[in-house]
Amino acid sequence: MVSRFTFVNYGSRALPNRAKLVSLGALFFALIFTATGCIREEDITLDQRAYQLASEIMCPVCDGQTIDQSNAQIATDMRLKVRELVDSGNTNAEVREYFVLRYGQEILAAPERTGFNLIAYIVPIFIVIISVGVALLAIRNMRRAARRNELETKLASGDLSVYLDKIDQDLGFTSDLTTEKKDQSSGQSDEAST
Amino acid sequence: MADLGAMALLLGMALSIYAAVGAIVGEKIGMAELAVSARRALYMTALTVLAASGALVNAFVNNDFSIKYVADHSNTLMDRAFVWVAFYAGNEGSLLYILLVLSIISAISIRFAPRRLARSLPWTIAILSVIQLFYFGVLIFVASPFELLDIVPLDGRGINPLLTHPGMFSHPPLLMGGLIGITIPFAFVSGALIAGTYGDDWIDVARVSGIIAWGVLGAGLLLGAWWAYTILGWGGYWSWDPIENVALMPWLVMTAFIHSIMVQKRRGMFRMWNVALLNIAFVLAQLGMFINRGGPVVSVHSFAASTLGIIFLIFMLSSLVFAFALFLWRMPKLKSDRAMDSFMSREASCLINNFLFLAVMAVTLWGVLFPVFSDMARDISVSVSAPYFNRVNGPVLLIIVILMGVGPLLPWRKASARSLKQWFVWPTVVGVVTIVALVAIGVQRPVAIFSFGVIAFVASAIGEEWWRGTAARHRSGDNWFTAWWRLVNGNRPRHGGYIVHISILILGLGIIGTNFYQQRMDEALYVGESLVLDNYRIEYIDRGSSERPDRIAQWAEMSVYRIDPADYAQEFETARARGSSGFKLEDSSARPNDELIDQIEPWHGFYVDFNMASVRSGIRSTIVEDLYVIPRDFLTDGRVSIAVSINPLAWWLWTSGPFFLIGTMIALWPQASVERRPVRKKVPDESEGDG
């Protein structure tokens, strides 16, 4: 049974658990990111750069293949050109630019992140954020519905605690009626092992 | 034969009209006989399509070149094994194949549909028949595989050489079958919506047929990747090509569906959501058909390209409108029985997983359509290919894998802090230890290391659950294996799912290894020369060639040696100064520690009639890494131009397949006990069990 003075219950049990959980999770990710972040990648060789670039440039005569994948003669020539440009000290951006000037933007396997093409990269970020946001909102709404149902059942079954809580709220003892149920479950055993 | 096939199709079309109309009218006027005969008409449709397909295969086997389609896709020279499957090598035949699969699985699913679906079954029959009718219409009026030629050629044109690979027997039929298979759960659920039977009667049918379609599609995708890896000489297995993407998208949505259908089954929630997922998957499958048959995008899979694009576009849009109009009409009736109790519950994590799958799908769709969009908006063509998709989809897929470890460990309804601690300490420790260990031994690439850590986390989460369950049963007297097997059998959907999860982790190993640690080297070698890369030396021994009427084949015999880099210290140093990770050796005499480990034969065929080259890479595969040699070209001066790569962990890509299939099968195996056990356990302190 929930205490009439819900804040007593609320303050002492549920919040610290959740806070602990959140901070543990944050610590976990922080650890992982520092652990992975502090490794310095060895400088990659010119070869590796050339192959990397070759996988970012489309073959102009083959459908949907990069010059890296294609066995066409022109792809071979273009691979050699990439290597040559890399050898003579061009940056990756300059190499890409070289081919864009000659073949148009279509030659890049991924659009460059500038101007209009930025849309190609921004939209996915929005898609992901909106998806997760909608999921979280949906869960929240469903939880609210759950509480409303519970409330109605309780009122219908003549359980006065809800009513009394409401009075508490009206009198200003507690500000939010809906927070009361948050801490009801700490002792629940799980059934994941079945 | 052509007449027989064409007649069979006409008959089939008439039958499906009858089945569609009969089922609805029979239901509306309450005439049971008509409804029964409509159902039987649906069965008969399958027979007519079978007859038409048989006629076409027969024409192929007997080299009946009076049929245009046969003449276009086979000849007398091709390997005889392939004439049996050449009928789905082109546009018209593959449509016939799709209709064949659809009509057979429709008949089977209707025949074995549970009795309690009786009210909605007429509608399901009508929907299936209408979809079949569409294919009949296309096959009869627009793309007939039985079109005759006025002048019968002496020989056919032959099959597309890229298709003559063992993969031809499995990848296209499974992929097309999986895509069209989504129709079945869609038809059952839509039927139930129209009939107004809102209960959960359709859950089992939708779940089983959905998992089958999903599993078949998944297997088809994986086999396609394997095919690309072994033959096509693309040097890769997944290139985020538009056609690959449109097959992946419905698979992603179906993956979401087979997870959330379990929530509906156990908790009576997400009903609306599951219907929506099926609708999306079905429409995406139609989108795949549209893009495959002459859509507006460029692809390496131009085998089935045709001018049917507009027809499939119209069909796709109609199914979109139908599915969602129906959905909106019945939405108010699809309410959940129960509501969500907590963010920390399996249902909540399942919903988040669902939305992430949808996000990956939407992002992929966006990438497929962006070139079209760019073209229209500003008249500039762009390409959107692997580098883009890896960048945008990679992180989301990684989050999904993390959730794969978290979700199943959360209990239904609500997790307590104690149970969280109890379950997550060990997986987290294992994951972190893996990361630290990899860093300690000097492995590079932070993103890859983090991903390995995630895989270790998820694997140990599954391992932990299996360990606890097995150990408990072991203590009560079973031996370890029996104990584990009983555990798995106790809840097959769950543990079958775990095995599929393991297959995804295994696949993940391969993807990370090949994407982050691949080493590459291109070189042209004379006979007797060698190429050294990492600790391999590849010596070009000899070349061979053969001329057949349809192709000129050339291959290189190569010996693979494992070397001790110390023997080549000087050369490695020069190479590094040049910026290369490997080098060419003119003198191939073996150094002291060279050890012959394999012979490979990269093969290159040129098909004159098609003006097309086909390549078979030389692959030496081990559990650690693949040595992969693509013969790019056999030069006239006697050199062979090769692209060598070392693909770490590539073996694991293909190892995931069996696990995927076994897991899917275990999850599908009928089990009565889970069905009768919806989760209605109380959340403590709650006075009523279910509202």
Side-chain angles (χ1 to χ4, degrees):
Chain A
M1 187 46 122
V2 187
S3 153
R4 255 194 79 182
F5 302 100
T6 48
F7 51 90
V8 174
N9 205 338
Y10 178 75
S12 64
R13 280 168 57 204
L15 188 66
N17 274 341
R18 172 164 299 187
K20 231 187 279 174
L21 202 76
V22 170
S23 50
L24 261 178
L27 189 70
F28 168 66
F29 279 103
L31 257 178
I32 282 169
F33 280 112
T34 43
T36 50
C38 63
I39 320 151
R40 218 178 69 88
E41 267 187 76
E42 220 179 39
D43 295 328
I44 56 173
T45 63
L46 293 179
D47 260 12
Q48 281 167 317
R49 265 185 61 204
Y51 293 125
Q52 182 72 38
L53 279 164
S55 70
E56 292 171 13
I57 293 169
M58 303 302 288
C59 159
V61 298
C62 340
D63 287 339
Q65 286 184 301
T66 56
I67 56 172
D68 176 49
Q69 300 167 324
S70 168
N71 295 322
Q73 184 58 42
I74 185 164
T76 311
D77 297 342
M78 286 168 74
R79 279 197 302 272
L80 289 174
K81 190 72 203 173
V82 169
R83 181 67 216 248
E84 192 188 310
L85 290 170
V86 168
D87 278 347
S88 54
N90 289 284
T91 63
N92 288 3
E94 283 164 354
V95 175
R96 282 194 288 263
E97 185 64 22
Y98 174 90
F99 287 99
V100 170
L101 282 175
R102 279 155 187 78
Y103 296 94
Q105 291 195 22
E106 221 176 336
I107 204 71
L108 297 180
E112 285 199 281
R113 275 170 283 182
T114 50
F116 181 86
N117 290 334
L118 262 181
I119 303 175
Y121 293 90
I122 292 172
V123 168
I125 297 174
F126 275 102
I127 291 176
V128 173
I129 291 175
I130 290 172
S131 308
V132 175
V134 169
L136 293 177
L137 275 180
I139 296 171
R140 210 185 64 175
N141 282 345
M142 290 162 99
R143 284 179 66 202
R144 286 213 176 125
R147 287 204 204 97
R148 245 194 331 269
N149 285 344
E150 213 172 303
L151 233 122
E152 278 161 16
T153 359
K154 279 192 174 174
L155 286 174
S157 63
D159 183 343
L160 283 183
S161 68
V162 184
Y163 180 62
L164 292 174
D165 287 337
K166 208 160 197 159
I167 295 177
D168 280 349
Q169 192 192 24
D170 292 344
L171 293 174
F173 287 136
T174 171
S175 58
D176 183 7
L177 183 67
T178 53
T179 50
E180 71 168 78
K181 295 293 185 300
K182 274 196 178 163
D183 57 332
Q184 287 186 348
S185 68
S186 7
Q188 192 210 351
S189 68
D190 63 28
E191 56 99 51
S193 58
T194 52
Chain B
M1 270 300 140
D3 293 343
L4 178 69
M7 294 284 287
L9 285 180
L10 278 172
L11 184 62
M13 185 168 176
L15 280 169
S16 30
I17 296 174
Y18 178 78
V21 175
I24 297 172
V25 173
E27 163 73 12
K28 281 284 165 205
I29 63 170
M31 196 171 145
E33 295 87 347
L34 187 57
V36 171
S37 91
R39 192 166 70 211
R40 292 190 179 145
L42 184 83
Y43 302 157
M44 288 303 295
T45 317
L47 287 184
T48 63
V49 185
L50 204 59
S53 310
L56 191 59
V57 172
N58 186 51
F60 268 104
V61 173
N62 293 321
N63 296 321
D64 183 354
F65 298 126
S66 64
I67 298 176
K68 182 169 181 298
Y69 183 75
V70 177
D72 279 348
H73 294 96
S74 72
N75 59 16
T76 49
L77 298 169
M78 63 191 273
D79 297 326
R80 297 320 287 170
F82 288 101
V83 292
W84 293 92
V85 292
F87 90 99
Y88 51 68
N91 180 42
E92 293 84 354
S94 59
L95 288 173
L96 181 61
Y97 170 79
I98 288 170
L99 178 58
L100 176 68
V101 174
L102 176 61
S103 62
I104 290 175
I105 57 178
S106 301
I108 291 175
S109 60
I110 294 293
R111 171 73 186 76
F112 295 102
R115 275 213 114 100
R116 56 179 185 275
L117 288 174
R119 267 191 65 205
S120 63
L121 220 50
W123 296 102
T124 306
I125 292 174
I127 292 167
L128 288 170
S129 301
V130 168
I131 296 168
Q132 293 183 16
L133 191 59
F134 166 74
Y135 283 97
F136 275 118
V138 172
L139 282 168
I140 291 170
F141 299 113
V142 197
S144 170
F146 298 108
E147 200 184 322
L148 293 174
L149 288 170
D150 295 334
I151 304 154
V152 179
L154 284 175
D155 202 353
R157 184 155 179 267
I159 191 170
N160 181 325
L162 292 181
L163 299 180
T164 53
H165 178 269
M168 182 65 183
F169 294 96
S170 53
H171 161 64
L174 287 178
L175 199 79
M176 291 188 280
L179 281 177
I180 199 66
I182 298 171
T183 311
I184 301 295
F186 170 77
F188 272 95
V189 171
S190 302
L193 287 192
I194 300 177
T197 51
Y198 307 110
D200 288 341
D201 290 340
W202 49 266
I203 285 188
D204 289 315
V205 165
R207 176 178 168 268
V208 169
S209 58
I211 292 184
I212 292 175
W214 168 85
V216 168
L217 184 55
L221 285 167
L222 194 64
L223 281 162
W226 169 72
W227 186 355
Y229 186 73
T230 54
I231 183 171
L232 298 177
W234 296 340
Y237 49 89
W238 184 262
S239 56
W240 294 101
D241 178 83
I243 301 298
E244 294 170 5
N245 289 340
V246 293
L248 179 70
M249 287 188 291
W251 187 82
L252 289 169
V253 178
M254 287 307 282
T255 313
F257 170 76
I258 61 174
H259 285 93
S260 75
I261 191 78
M262 280 317 285
V263 181
Q264 182 177 349
K265 190 167 169 163
R266 301 292 297 274
R267 298 272 297 127
M269 296 162 68
F270 295 175
R271 214 170 271 146
M272 216 192 296
W273 178 238
N274 285 327
V275 174
L277 284 176
L278 273 182
N279 287 352
I280 297 171
F282 178 73
V283 172
L284 283 173
Q286 304 311 316
L287 174 78
M289 293 282 182
F290 159 57
I291 288 192
N292 206 352
R293 316 274 160 182
V297 292
V298 182
S299 157
V300 283
H301 291 75
S302 42
F303 313 120
S306 68
T307 49
L308 296 179
I310 187 73
I311 297 173
F312 278 91
L313 181 63
I314 292 169
F315 186 66
M316 182 197 96
L317 293 176
S318 332
S319 39
L320 181 78
V321 171
F322 169 78
F324 284 90
L326 185 60
F327 177 69
L328 291 175
W329 176 40
R330 293 303 200 188
M331 195 164 69
K333 301 282 171 81
L334 288 170
K335 283 267 161 17
S336 290
D337 291 350
R338 272 172 290 276
M340 189 76 78
D341 296 301
S342 161
F343 278 93
M344 282 295 177
S345 65
R346 198 179 297 161
E347 25 314 25
S349 83
C350 185
L351 195 65
I352 295 174
N353 131 317
N354 275 207
F355 271 94
L356 286 174
F357 274 114
L358 282 188
V360 176
M361 181 278 289
V363 169
T364 309
L365 182 63
W366 169 246
V368 171
L369 296 181
F370 184 73
V372 184
F373 174 59
S374 164
D375 241 359
M376 288 195 308
R378 50 170 188 162
D379 216 14
I380 293 178
S381 301
V382 294
S383 310
V384 174
S385 187
Y388 173 84
F389 289 104
N390 288 337
R391 209 170 294 152
V392 295
N393 276 342
V396 190
L397 290 172
L398 189 62
I399 295 174
I400 290 180
V401 176
I402 297 178
L403 267 185
M404 200 165 97
V406 176
L409 289 191
L410 294 173
W412 294 109
R413 309 212 65 176
K414 187 162 184 174
S416 65
R418 213 185 60 205
S419 77
L420 286 182
K421 212 187 292 174
Q422 186 189 346
W423 282 104
F424 284 104
V425 167
W426 280 110
T428 312
V429 167
V430 173
V432 172
V433 166
T434 307
I435 291 174
V436 172
L438 288 174
V439 173
I441 61 171
V443 176
Q444 279 156 8
R445 302 294 189 127
V447 178
I449 292 174
F450 180 70
S451 310
F452 282 130
V454 167
I455 289 180
F457 165 76
V458 180
S460 50
I462 298 171
E464 183 186 23
E465 195 180 325
W466 276 355
W467 166 252
R468 290 191 190 190
T470 309
R473 282 172 172 75
H474 177 67
R475 277 195 293 279
S476 62
D478 289 331
N479 74 40
W480 286 107
F481 183 75
T482 328
W484 177 77
W485 186 240
R486 290 219 168 132
L487 173 73
V488 169
N489 262 310
N491 187 346
R492 293 199 201 104
R494 180 176 183 81
H495 294 281
Y498 280 145
I499 296 175
V500 174
H501 282 185
I502 288 175
S503 86
I504 301 297
L505 296 180
I506 294 175
L507 185 71
L509 285 180
I511 292 173
I512 299 168
T514 50
N515 269 318
F516 286 94
Y517 300 105
Q518 191 190 46
Q519 296 192 56
R520 284 286 311 274
M521 175 100 192
D522 287 7
E523 198 55 84
L525 301 175
Y526 284 109
V527 169
E529 288 185 331
S530 290
L531 180 146
V532 177
L533 181 62
D534 200 38
N535 47 9
Y536 292 101
R537 179 165 71 82
I538 300 151
E539 185 178 344
Y540 179 21
I541 304 289
D542 199 5
R543 74 199 290 176
S545 69
S546 76
E547 233 170 283
R548 303 248 308 258
D550 59 335
R551 62 171 177 241
I552 302 160
Q554 288 173 297
W555 59 91
E557 288 168 28
M558 294 180 163
S559 297
V560 179
Y561 294 89
R562 184 173 296 288
I563 59 161
D564 179 1
D567 289 342
Y568 297 84
Q570 202 189 337
E571 285 90 345
F572 268 116
E573 204 163 302
T574 343
R576 266 191 211 111
R578 220 177 46 235
S580 299
S581 28
F583 50 87
K584 184 169 88 170
L585 275 181
E586 286 174 11
D587 170 22
S588 285
S589 49
R591 313 249 165 132
N593 293 317
D594 286 7
E595 181 198 348
L596 181 68
I597 48 173
D598 212 344
Q599 302 274 355
I600 50 173
E601 237 173 52
W603 182 97
H604 183 280
F606 184 74
Y607 293 77
V608 187
D609 293 344
F610 285 84
N611 189 23
M612 193 184 260
S614 169
V615 156
R616 241 157 264 174
S617 306
I619 305 173
R620 174 191 155 74
S621 186
T622 65
I623 189 168
V624 181
E625 63 192 14
D626 281 13
L627 180 71
Y628 186 91
V629 180
I630 308 171
R632 288 216 188 268
D633 208 355
F634 286 83
L635 305 172
T636 42
D637 62 2
R639 285 185 302 168
V640 58
S641 161
I642 51 172
V644 180
S645 60
I646 295 170
N647 302 331
L649 303 179
W651 180 85
W652 295 85
L653 294 168
W654 321 126
T655 310
S656 68
F659 285 89
F660 178 82
L661 287 181
I662 292 170
T664 308
M665 253 132 82
I666 289 178
L668 268 177
W669 213 260
Q671 181 167 36
S673 61
V674 175
E675 238 167 283
R676 279 190 256 105
R677 205 186 52 186
V679 177
R680 299 195 176 174
K681 199 166 50 177
K682 282 185 176 182
V683 168
D685 281 3
E686 194 183 53
S687 45
E688 306 288 324
D690 305 313

